[in-house]
Amino acid sequence: FELIGRHEERISKPLINYLDEHPDIKMIGRNTADREKRVPTISFVHSKLKSDEIVVKVDDYRIGIRYGNLYAKKLMEDSGLKDKNGVVRVSLVHYNSLDEVKR
């Protein structure tokens, strides 16, 4: 599990840094890849695009990300994210590669 945790931390770091550097993107949760502080499931919203629009744009590139309320409908409503169609979710795991994340 230690090896898996280190790998997931390593591959999530560039994505978190990328999202954190863009002023139009708001990450949900901590902006760190530290495996002691978060898992590599990364959610975000864009200030101009709805979450489903982002997923549709990357789907043609065979990038499997999803959007929605993620079974937290009340939280999305209370957070004002209903109009965004929820959040975009990127779920990285041990079988993902750094090249996939960069793509």
Side-chain angles (χ1 to χ4, degrees):
F1 288 110
E2 179 65 26
L3 290 173
I4 290 171
R6 283 197 310 243
H7 174 73
E8 291 174 345
E9 181 178 334
R10 184 174 67 87
I11 64 172
S12 65
K13 187 174 185 173
L15 177 59
I16 289 171
N17 290 342
Y18 175 83
L19 296 172
D20 199 37
E21 291 172 359
H22 285 74
D24 286 331
I25 295 175
K26 178 183 184 245
M27 234 181 329
I28 310 301
R30 297 180 181 207
N31 63 345
T32 179
D34 183 342
R35 66 186 177 276
E36 299 294 324
K37 297 180 180 175
R38 73 167 303 141
V39 297
T41 302
I42 301 155
S43 297
F44 66 92
V45 291
H46 192 280
S47 65
K48 297 176 180 126
L49 299 170
K50 290 185 176 183
S51 296
D52 59 317
E53 294 172 320
I54 294 169
V55 171
V56 168
K57 285 181 183 286
V58 302
D59 205 38
D60 288 341
Y61 297 95
R62 301 181 52 83
I63 296 173
I65 62 175
R66 299 294 173 251
Y67 73 95
N69 64 34
L70 314 175
Y71 305 103
K73 185 177 179 178
K74 180 82 169 118
L75 178 63
M76 294 296 164
E77 290 171 356
D78 291 350
S79 299
L81 298 173
K82 185 178 179 183
D83 292 340
K84 289 283 186 189
N85 292 333
V87 297
V88 176
R89 184 192 70 213
V90 180
S91 300
L92 301 173
V93 292
H94 60 280
Y95 54 76
N96 289 118
S97 70
L98 190 56
D99 287 337
E100 289 174 320
V101 173
K102 288 178 181 178
R103 196 171 52 128

